[in-house]
Amino acid sequence: MRTSTPPILSPSPPAPSCADQQQQHLGNSRQYWRDIILGVNDGLVSTFLLVAGVAGGGLSSQDILLTAISGSTAGAISMAAGEYVATKTQNEVMNGELDLEKIHVEQNLEEEMKELDGLLMKIGIPLEKIHDKDTENKSKHDALYSCAKKENGDEEEGPRHDSHAHAHAHEEHTNLRQQLKGFYRNNPVALLQIMQALEFGVVEEEARSPIKAGLLSCILFVMGSLSSVLPFIFSGDTPTTGLIAAACITITALIMVGAIKTWATRGKCLVAALENLVIAGFGGGIAYGIGILFDRLIK
């Protein structure tokens, strides 16, 4: 008798793990997204507004190209210098504050512990006094409720259970707060670190490098400005054609920047793109109108 063998089934692919399904954070680049968006957006918008203004003033393609290159170079250097100085200054200000905080921890430990007592609320650990008051009010409420239930001959399991749960939670919060305060009182370095994070909002991993911030702003400004520089290289004797091409490329680039920004912020792509387009379009219209007005006044 012939027996049929069951078909050999190929093993099913393993289910994706929670780590695979969970969306990852941006990591060490997130503190530089301000420089990324500011640099490329400023290069796109400011250079286009510049060429729109001088094109409205009746300049030739060669003159507009020279203006665009000059504006791009000046803007890139200004962005690099500005971001470098601003970021370095901010870091120096914060380092000065942290140095002063170190002195406070060394010389005024009790005052810092009182300050820490309030800051612990920021990480979800309530103050003991609040809970003590809540527990007292809860106990009075339960006592009144219990008397009322006894008069009616009913059982009183509900309020008693709630009171025990509330008391247990209060005890856990109190013990946790006391343990944390004891730990930080005996560890000045750890106390300085948590004060640095909770009071000043400073985490070493989120620190910004002035050099990196300046270089990012400079390079991305130049990249953004190319949309208004390149068209006038090929526009010949028709600057209007170059301006239309620059407008189309700039609009496309702004939409792409909006899409990239919403990928990082996990926001709405359409809203971000419209924001960029409205700002650039409104500014371009004003710049072009000023150029035309200036040209007519001169002539």
Side-chain angles (χ1 to χ4, degrees):
M1 184 176 179
R2 189 175 181 181
T3 58
S4 60
T5 58
I8 300 175
L9 300 177
S10 59
S12 57
S17 63
C18 294
D20 295 333
Q21 294 177 350
Q22 184 178 1
Q23 189 173 7
Q24 298 299 314
H25 291 289
L26 294 174
N28 294 331
S29 67
R30 60 173 161 259
Q31 63 266 41
Y32 295 104
W33 274 91
R34 173 188 178 278
D35 308 295
I36 293 171
I37 298 301
L38 177 62
V40 68
N41 225 52
D42 200 11
L44 285 166
V45 176
S46 64
T47 311
F48 175 71
L49 299 187
L50 180 62
V51 299
V54 294
L59 295 186
S60 65
S61 295
Q62 186 176 0
D63 293 335
I64 296 174
L65 176 61
L66 176 60
T67 302
I69 293 175
S70 300
S72 175
T73 304
I77 295 173
S78 176
M79 287 288 292
E83 279 299 320
Y84 175 82
V85 173
T87 304
K88 186 178 180 182
T89 301
Q90 184 64 33
N91 290 346
E92 290 174 346
V93 168
M94 193 54 65
N95 288 335
E97 289 288 284
L98 295 178
D99 289 341
L100 181 60
E101 184 68 15
K102 184 178 180 180
I103 296 174
H104 288 172
V105 170
E106 293 173 352
Q107 299 181 358
N108 302 290
L109 181 59
E110 292 303 322
E111 290 297 323
E112 292 301 310
M113 292 304 301
K114 291 179 182 179
E115 193 172 353
L116 175 64
D117 204 36
L119 292 174
L120 286 176
M121 293 187 65
K122 292 185 176 182
I123 55 175
I125 304 176
L127 287 172
E128 297 173 25
K129 293 182 179 179
I130 296 176
H131 272 273
D132 290 341
K133 186 176 180 181
D134 290 343
T135 303
E136 183 182 352
N137 293 337
K138 182 68 177 176
S139 299
K140 291 180 180 179
H141 177 270
D142 288 347
L144 294 173
Y145 187 83
S146 177
C147 291
K149 295 290 284 185
K150 286 180 179 179
E151 291 178 359
N152 296 331
D154 297 332
E155 296 182 0
E156 46 176 335
E157 295 180 358
R160 184 181 300 171
H161 174 75
D162 293 343
S163 178
H164 288 328
H166 184 81
H168 179 68
H170 165 60
E171 184 179 358
E172 286 185 343
H173 290 151
T174 301
N175 292 338
L176 177 59
R177 177 176 281 272
Q178 291 175 350
Q179 290 174 6
L180 288 173
K181 289 167 66 176
F183 171 78
Y184 287 115
R185 181 184 294 275
N186 297 322
N187 293 272
V189 175
L191 176 60
L192 181 61
Q193 290 174 340
I194 194 171
M195 295 298 285
Q196 173 180 319
L198 296 182
E199 184 177 1
F200 300 101
V202 176
V203 182
E204 291 184 3
E205 289 76 9
E206 299 295 325
R208 285 160 45 85
S209 165
I211 295 177
K212 188 179 290 187
L215 287 176
L216 277 173
S217 299
C218 175
I219 294 171
L220 290 168
F221 185 95
V222 172
M223 292 177 62
S225 67
L226 291 178
S227 64
S228 297
V229 173
L230 296 178
F232 291 97
I233 297 177
F234 308 101
S235 63
D237 296 329
T238 54
T240 304
T241 303
L243 181 62
I244 294 173
C248 293
I249 298 173
T250 301
I251 289 172
T252 304
L254 287 171
I255 294 173
M256 293 175 62
V257 171
I260 293 172
K261 186 182 78 170
T262 52
W263 170 81
T265 61
R266 301 166 186 86
K268 296 181 179 179
C269 181
L270 181 60
V271 174
L274 287 177
E275 285 177 349
N276 277 354
L277 291 178
V278 168
I279 294 171
F282 185 72
I286 293 177
Y288 188 73
I290 291 174
I292 293 177
L293 179 62
F294 180 82
D295 184 52
R296 290 181 178 177
L297 288 176
I298 294 298
K299 290 180 178 180

